[in-house]
Amino acid sequence: MGANMKYQVVIGLEVHTQLTTNTKIFCGCSTRFGAEPNSQTCPVCLGFPGALPVLNQQVVEYAIRAGLATNCSITQRNVFARKNYFYPDLPKGYQISQFDLPICQHGHLDIEVEGETKRIGITRIHMEEDAGKLVHADIPGVDDSCVDLNRACTPLLEIVSEPDMRSPDEAIAYLKKLHQIVMYLGICDGNLEEGSFRCDANVSLMPVGSTVFGTRAELKNINSFKFIKQAIEYEIERQAEILDDGGKVVQETRLFDPNTGTTRSMRGKEEAHDYRYFPDPDLVPVIISDDWIEKVRGGLPELPEAKRARFMSDLGLPEYDAEVLVASRELAQYFEDAFALFPQAKTVSNWVMGEVTRALNDDNNRSIAECPVTSALLADLLKLMEKGTISGKIAKTVFDEMYKTGNAPEKIVEEKGLVQVSDTGAIEAMIDEVLEKNPGQVAEYRGGKETLFGFFVGQVMRASKGKANPAVVNEMLLKKLQG
Amino acid sequence: MEIFDLTIHELHEKLKAKEVSSVEATRAMLDRIEAVDSQVNAYITVTPEQALVEAEEADRRIAAGDIASLTGIPVGLKDIFVTKGIRTTCGSRILENFVPPYDGTAVAKLKEQGAVIVGKLNQDEFAMGSSNESSYFGPCRNPWDLSCTPGGSSGGSAAAIAARTATATLGTDTGGSIRQPASHCGCVGLKPTYGRVSRYGVIAYASSLDQVGPLTRDVTDSALLLGAVAGYDPMDSTSVNTPVPDYVAGLGSGVKGMKIGLPKQYFIEGLDPDVKRAMDEAIALYKSLGAEIREVSLPNTEYAVATYYIIATAEASANLARYDGVRFGHRAENARGLAQMYAKSRAEGFGSEVKRRIMLGTYALSSGYYDAYYVKAQKVRTLIQQDFLNAFKEVDVLLTPIAPTPAFKIAEKLEDPLQMYLSDIFTIPVNLAGTCGISVPAGFSAAGLPIGLQLVGKPFGEQDILTAAYSFEKETQWHLKKAPL
Ligand SMILES: [Zn+2]
């Protein structure tokens, strides 16, 4: 992309996060994903005549959580507004949203790109209801569309950033950070494919050195980090070409096509809506007291940044380990639970990042929450290793068995006869046998080729089927060879 | 006296004493509807089968000694209340065949008490109008003079009381739509304080102004019916959680020492002489009963109508957006594409008054005009509210006319919407202020048409206006006059 030399890209992101409340924002219907179409509806979310919205207080609490976690100030008098437009999956003909007084404002997130920390401003976070879904019937000769209103009225937070990002990498770093935070807060399931976390990107170019933003295009509803990056990259190229040719970028909404990796125009400015926002008279203003804010603040979980710092300073973990472990709240929790029972941070970290992660990946990318080897079982395994009951190598075998069966390590070790041999008599016998079988190597060793020591250890371990205590083997072997 | 002439409390006594059954009362009412409603057109839908089933159930309850104040009483509902399984049109073609899947809160409360619903009453389309002429189901007529309108928009609810085709009815009042037709039809109509009665299940016209209220033959019934439907509703976040007093028990306290205010802006030149005379007589009567009469000022009254038509239409433009032909109601045939389906369905489904108001509201909210119209109107609304609160620092209730004239002729004002809009000039400020008002029969014009008197109370001061109205009713007996039908 030679364009990058000439133009500076400016990116602002609007993220819609669907909240994990049990019920919808203005009615008591379930928010469960994937149910039979229109089975989770009532007069309120169907927008039936006479029905009235009543605010789900949990949504407000979740919004406060998001605001506090992103360093926003919390608006204490909140007004809902009607955003008027016609769409077949918008039952009331307007969407209830917040307009001039969003619940959270003036926040920021720090991201790291190529080792440098950068602060990205958060303009606002507001609460709103989602629309339903159009289902275009796939029947030959039928061009009717169906409307599924299960999703109508489910709660969303719209998180709007400042146009502070200057590269696709920064945009992705910001999104991933935001994604991690909403997951930590427990307010969003973070599922991109199901649309629980979706993003619109505003992209514009300006000549390097300029401070005046160019005309932007809005890329709508992209549902994977990879696609967002592709869409922005494509958009930079497209706009650069237009500018290079002396043309003007038009302000419009564009859709990303994952199949071609390109964006195309969805609607132009001439169709720009006049949403005619005004305060929704059906909903009384929500007053958020200082007490409420403090209560929510008190209940906030430790966020990834703080957790990572603590893992490094208190537990002495390397930065790499800390970063990997805090990637998800569940993984960090798993680590901490195991660590509580087996307080050797680096050992636990190695196992979590190593065997545990590998096993889960091999098992169709199962989540840590579904790991058959619980944190307590892992700690038990590590204890067996520490006591010398089994070797580190055997421990890996035992782990695989635990993963398969969910059984306790003691049971597996006992049933499979994997107990480590530390009995000096037995080990001595094996050593003698190995030395006897390999007189040549013994002579070479004694002649000064000390690198052969590893060969003897290996042979003894093999003879013991891996069960010999390596420390005892080392010690005795050294004596014998020297003696 | 016929059964259909009885008030709620009179019929209640007879039901309790088993002198009459609910089935008999309901049959009598259905027969009366059959006999006279073709002239009045108060009903859009009559529900005889359902009503008789409910009446039988009420009789069983009564036999079991379980009788509430409304058990077995035949009531009618403005067709703005959604009723489970009963067609609910809101006076519009767009909902001509709409059968709601649920009951609203007020209706559910009536049913819990055992009231028998005999049908759904005519109204101006989506409650927009002051004469009941904008109904898709034809104009309702005033039982006192069939060439006159009953007033609107709860014209059917008022006319049914006057025609004796319902013992009591519920209406809604956005700018006077209970009080004004009550006045024109000679019955008692009460608009409670905003938030006193749940709006859940009431088809919205202007959400910040609409309020449910009773239309009845006398003040006692008004107190009874209000008590039955009032109260906090978790389904309506604008409903207010304050206790509901026993309004009937408080009726007899009298007006001695009560301070009654006359807002000077309401007693102006141009008031119809018959209306003026009725007001003067009422004031004299209150004086003689020991009330203290004072002049007060509501300085922003002149802006009320303009303010109302901006706020109400703005809200209506959004409230009526859901009638798009997609999920229920009228859908135009042969539309090509989505945009045309919306446009045609709405063009065919809505009448001209509704379209006029949607356009007014859309304009008032559109970018570039929002601050000049909507925001300004909200500011004036606050001033009007303040006027009332200031007045209530000096007096307990206000006394005003309901309408500048008695009922007018059908079609008389149809060609002049502005003239029509002015007929709510004395009632609109009460809705903007969000407080309560009642219309009580206060006399008749030379032409024999009823004239109503308005008493306005403090927020949640329903008891004050009911008590004042009851004292007046006891002395005057205007409410006992019967329409010549
Ligand atoms: Zn619902």
Side-chain angles (χ1 to χ4, degrees):
Chain A
M1 275 194 301
N4 274 352
M5 307 299 288
K6 249 160 87 185
Y7 302 108
Q8 174 71 73
V9 59
V10 175
I11 303 166
L13 297 172
E14 291 169 20
V15 173
H16 283 92
T17 55
Q18 187 184 314
L19 300 179
T20 48
T21 53
N22 291 326
T23 54
K24 295 183 178 181
I25 180 168
F26 298 122
C27 68
C29 292
S30 167
T31 53
R32 199 166 53 86
F33 181 82
E36 181 83 357
N38 297 308
S39 62
Q40 291 170 176
T41 55
C42 71
V44 177
C45 54
L46 291 172
F48 265 45
L52 295 172
V54 176
L55 178 64
N56 179 348
Q57 296 289 309
Q58 182 101 67
V59 173
V60 181
E61 174 154 349
Y62 281 12
I64 301 174
R65 267 194 225 177
L68 294 176
T70 51
N71 312 292
C72 289
S73 62
I74 306 297
T75 309
Q76 294 193 270
R77 185 174 187 276
N78 281 270
V79 174
F80 282 97
R82 293 183 181 178
K83 180 182 181 182
N84 295 282
Y85 62 103
F86 282 99
Y87 210 67
D89 63 5
L90 187 71
K92 295 184 290 293
Y94 56 82
Q95 180 188 20
I96 305 178
S97 181
Q98 287 191 287
F99 184 49
D100 49 356
L101 284 173
I103 184 163
C104 314
Q105 292 185 88
H106 315 305
H108 61 82
L109 275 188
D110 291 336
I111 58 168
E112 261 176 57
V113 176
E114 288 167 9
E116 291 203 12
T117 303
K118 180 169 178 183
R119 178 155 291 185
I120 306 296
I122 290 180
T123 317
R124 57 184 280 154
I125 302 177
H126 69 250
M127 304 175 275
E128 63 182 28
E129 60 178 343
D130 208 343
K133 220 167 54 179
L134 282 183
V135 183
H136 302 288
D138 200 11
I139 308 164
V142 175
D143 54 1
D144 287 349
S145 292
C146 303
V147 186
D148 177 6
L149 293 173
N150 278 350
R151 201 180 64 185
C153 212
T154 54
L156 299 179
L157 288 187
E158 181 173 334
I159 304 170
V160 182
S161 84
E162 292 288 324
D164 284 348
M165 286 150 279
R166 294 289 175 269
S167 72
D169 285 341
E170 288 184 9
I172 298 303
Y174 166 81
L175 276 178
K176 287 197 164 157
K177 181 105 187 210
L178 197 59
H179 186 251
Q180 193 184 39
I181 286 177
V182 296
M183 303 266 290
Y184 260 76
L185 294 174
I187 62 175
C188 175
D189 68 15
N191 193 321
L192 281 88
E193 284 114 67
E194 291 176 6
S196 311
F197 188 90
R198 48 189 203 258
C199 170
D200 300 345
N202 290 310
V203 179
S204 68
L205 296 186
M206 59 181 177
V208 168
S210 171
T211 49
V212 183
F213 292 171
T215 309
R216 65 195 159 90
E218 189 184 14
L219 313 177
K220 271 275 177 209
N221 269 334
I222 319 173
N223 68 345
S224 94
F225 293 127
K226 194 178 101 192
F227 292 159
I228 290 161
K229 193 166 179 205
Q230 277 181 19
I232 295 173
E233 280 169 353
Y234 176 81
E235 197 53 29
I236 293 170
E237 287 204 45
R238 187 185 72 87
Q239 293 186 17
E241 264 175 45
I242 294 173
L243 296 174
D244 281 344
D245 292 349
K248 275 189 171 173
V249 174
V250 287
Q251 189 177 333
E252 61 182 353
T253 301
R254 298 182 70 84
L255 280 180
F256 177 69
D257 181 350
N259 296 315
T260 59
T262 62
T263 65
R264 64 183 154 83
S265 184
M266 183 167 110
R267 56 171 184 256
K269 199 188 179 179
E270 63 278 10
E271 290 166 67
H273 278 100
D274 178 359
Y275 289 119
R276 304 189 312 282
Y277 283 99
F278 75 102
D280 190 329
D282 287 332
L283 288 157
V284 290
V286 188
I287 308 299
I288 301 172
S289 65
D290 291 333
D291 281 358
W292 194 1
I293 296 173
E294 288 320 308
K295 219 180 121 208
V296 175
R297 197 191 302 278
L300 283 184
E302 185 182 31
L303 291 172
E305 218 160 286
K307 207 180 264 294
R308 192 182 66 154
R310 181 168 60 82
F311 282 3
M312 287 163 66
S313 63
D314 292 9
L315 309 184
L317 286 180
E319 186 176 356
Y320 175 80
D321 291 40
E323 189 72 45
V324 172
L325 293 175
V326 304
S328 86
R329 186 180 173 178
E330 288 72 25
L331 190 69
Q333 193 60 53
Y334 182 94
F335 165 77
E336 291 203 75
D337 291 346
F339 173 75
L341 299 167
F342 186 78
Q344 294 182 25
K346 185 59 187 154
T347 309
V348 178
S349 165
N350 285 345
W351 275 79
V352 173
M353 296 195 310
E355 293 309 298
V356 175
T357 309
R358 180 194 50 75
L360 291 170
N361 286 347
D362 290 350
D363 189 10
N364 285 320
N365 284 316
R366 247 170 134 174
S367 79
I368 185 77
E370 301 170 311
C371 185
V373 181
T374 63
S375 51
L377 286 175
L378 179 70
D380 287 347
L381 178 67
L382 299 183
K383 281 182 204 158
L384 285 182
M385 214 173 74
E386 191 193 28
K387 270 194 289 185
T389 311
I390 53 172
S391 68
K393 202 169 164 208
I394 291 293
K396 291 185 179 174
T397 313
V398 176
F399 179 87
D400 286 341
E401 194 62 23
M402 288 163 77
Y403 192 92
K404 263 184 244 157
T405 61
N407 284 341
E410 296 83 353
K411 192 172 171 225
I412 293 167
V413 168
E414 200 189 303
E415 277 177 7
K416 303 229 157 185
L418 296 173
V419 177
Q420 179 162 271
V421 178
S422 298
D423 168 19
T424 48
I427 292 176
E428 190 173 8
M430 285 186 269
I431 289 176
D432 289 344
E433 203 186 321
V434 168
L435 297 184
E436 218 166 279
K437 275 188 185 163
N438 300 287
Q441 280 87 342
V442 172
E444 273 182 64
Y445 179 87
R446 285 184 176 148
K449 199 175 176 188
E450 289 190 4
T451 49
L452 275 171
F453 187 73
F455 163 78
F456 294 115
V457 174
Q459 292 296 311
V460 176
M461 291 308 287
R462 187 183 296 169
S464 75
K465 295 193 179 94
K467 286 186 283 183
N469 182 330
V472 177
V473 172
N474 273 326
E475 195 187 329
M476 292 184 70
L477 195 58
L478 202 60
K479 266 190 204 156
K480 290 258 177 191
L481 284 169
Q482 284 167 349
Chain B
M1 200 179 238
E2 304 275 0
I3 299 178
F4 52 72
D5 284 326
L6 300 171
T7 63
I8 297 174
H9 55 96
E10 287 163 352
L11 179 54
H12 173 76
E13 290 308 320
K14 290 195 186 301
L15 288 166
K16 206 160 106 180
K18 311 226 166 57
E19 285 170 36
V20 64
S21 73
S22 177
V23 168
E24 284 171 293
T26 303
R27 281 233 166 82
M29 201 56 84
L30 293 168
D31 290 346
R32 173 75 181 168
I33 293 170
E34 183 80 35
V36 303
D37 196 59
S38 57
Q39 301 171 66
V40 180
N41 197 27
Y43 280 87
I44 291 174
T45 306
V46 186
T47 51
E49 295 88 2
Q50 225 156 323
L52 287 168
V53 170
E54 286 168 13
E56 280 167 21
E57 173 59 24
D59 283 333
R60 266 193 293 278
R61 277 172 75 163
I62 294 166
D66 170 25
I67 182 166
S69 58
L70 297 178
T71 310
I73 308 288
V75 299
L77 300 169
K78 185 177 184 177
D79 210 15
I80 202 166
F81 293 89
V82 301
T83 38
K84 187 175 179 173
I86 299 175
R87 173 174 85 137
T88 302
T89 70
C90 214
S92 183
R93 181 182 183 201
I94 212 155
L95 288 175
E96 185 175 3
N97 298 308
F98 175 61
V99 179
Y102 76 110
D103 278 328
T105 302
V107 175
K109 283 188 169 200
L110 293 185
K111 283 188 173 173
E112 262 164 46
Q113 290 239 3
V116 173
I117 292 156
V118 288
K120 307 293 294 291
L121 296 157
N122 210 344
Q123 61 167 96
D124 278 301
E125 184 178 3
F126 283 101
M128 297 175 186
S130 311
S131 66
N132 216 308
E133 290 166 287
S134 74
S135 169
Y136 175 66
F137 301 89
C140 176
R141 292 167 186 275
N142 193 318
W144 294 88
D145 178 346
L146 295 171
S147 69
C148 285
T149 83
S153 65
S154 308
S157 299
I161 301 297
R164 307 295 206 238
T165 51
T167 305
T169 62
L170 283 184
T172 60
D173 190 315
T174 307
S177 353
I178 286 173
R179 289 159 290 158
Q180 186 252 30
S183 170
H184 288 348
C185 293
C187 55
V188 177
L190 188 151
K191 183 207 100 74
T193 308
Y194 186 78
R196 178 75 290 186
V197 183
S198 170
R199 292 182 298 113
Y200 187 73
V202 179
I203 297 179
Y205 159 24
S207 310
S208 76
L209 300 162
D210 297 343
Q211 186 59 199
V212 172
L215 291 107
T216 54
R217 287 200 213 306
D218 67 9
V219 176
T220 307
D221 279 7
S222 188
L224 262 172
L225 196 47
L226 174 64
V229 294
Y232 173 66
D233 178 11
M235 297 298 279
D236 175 1
S237 81
T238 64
S239 78
V240 176
N241 200 351
T242 63
V244 180
D246 182 344
Y247 296 116
V248 178
L251 287 179
S253 356
V255 294
K256 202 168 165 40
M258 188 182 268
K259 296 192 197 79
I260 297 178
L262 307 177
K264 63 179 178 195
Q265 291 82 358
Y266 286 59
F267 293 92
I268 39 170
E269 291 302 309
L271 199 59
D272 179 277
D274 289 333
V275 175
K276 174 84 172 67
R277 181 178 36 78
M279 294 307 110
D280 289 342
E281 285 172 16
I283 294 161
L285 177 62
Y286 274 119
K287 252 186 212 160
S288 76
L289 292 173
E292 194 184 310
I293 308 291
R294 286 191 195 177
E295 189 180 84
V296 293
S297 179
L298 300 169
N300 293 291
T301 300
E302 62 175 305
Y303 306 114
V305 173
T307 302
Y308 171 84
Y309 277 96
I310 288 167
I311 292 173
T313 58
E315 293 180 5
S317 72
N319 284 333
L320 271 58
R322 69 193 64 197
Y323 308 104
D324 57 8
V326 174
R327 288 159 302 125
F328 51 78
H330 177 75
R331 180 187 289 183
E333 288 179 21
N334 308 321
R336 284 167 170 242
L338 184 64
Q340 207 184 80
M341 186 187 93
Y342 286 151
K344 278 186 106 173
S345 299
R346 289 168 69 81
E348 292 170 6
F350 289 137
S352 56
E353 185 58 33
V354 171
K355 286 175 188 164
R356 185 179 295 132
R357 294 195 193 194
I358 289 174
M359 284 192 284
L360 274 171
T362 305
Y363 183 80
L365 289 175
S366 58
S367 67
Y369 299 99
Y370 179 78
D371 289 325
Y373 292 103
Y374 183 78
V375 172
K376 191 76 155 211
Q378 288 294 11
K379 286 180 182 162
V380 178
R381 181 176 187 176
T382 305
L383 294 177
I384 291 170
Q385 280 168 340
Q386 207 52 55
D387 281 357
F388 277 88
L389 293 180
N390 287 337
F392 285 125
K393 284 178 193 155
E394 292 177 45
V395 297
D396 302 304
V397 300
L398 302 171
L399 186 158
T400 85
I402 286 282
T405 63
F408 45 87
K409 296 279 184 200
I410 288 172
E412 185 183 320
K413 294 187 181 179
L414 267 189
E415 295 309 313
D416 190 352
L418 275 183
Q419 203 50 44
M420 183 85 90
Y421 292 174
L422 287 173
S423 56
D424 292 338
I425 191 165
F426 299 136
T427 48
I428 278 173
V430 176
N431 298 77
L432 290 170
T435 192
C436 56
I438 192 170
S439 175
V440 228
F444 286 84
S445 69
L449 290 167
I451 293 168
L453 157 76
Q454 174 169 240
L455 296 160
V456 179
K458 298 168 185 171
F460 296 95
E462 282 82 0
Q463 186 70 70
D464 294 338
I465 54 175
L466 281 164
T467 303
Y470 183 74
S471 298
F472 183 81
E473 180 185 85
K474 243 182 15 186
E475 300 299 323
T476 57
Q477 318 277 306
W478 296 115
H479 67 290
L480 296 179
K481 286 235 181 188
K482 260 181 90 168
L485 200 68

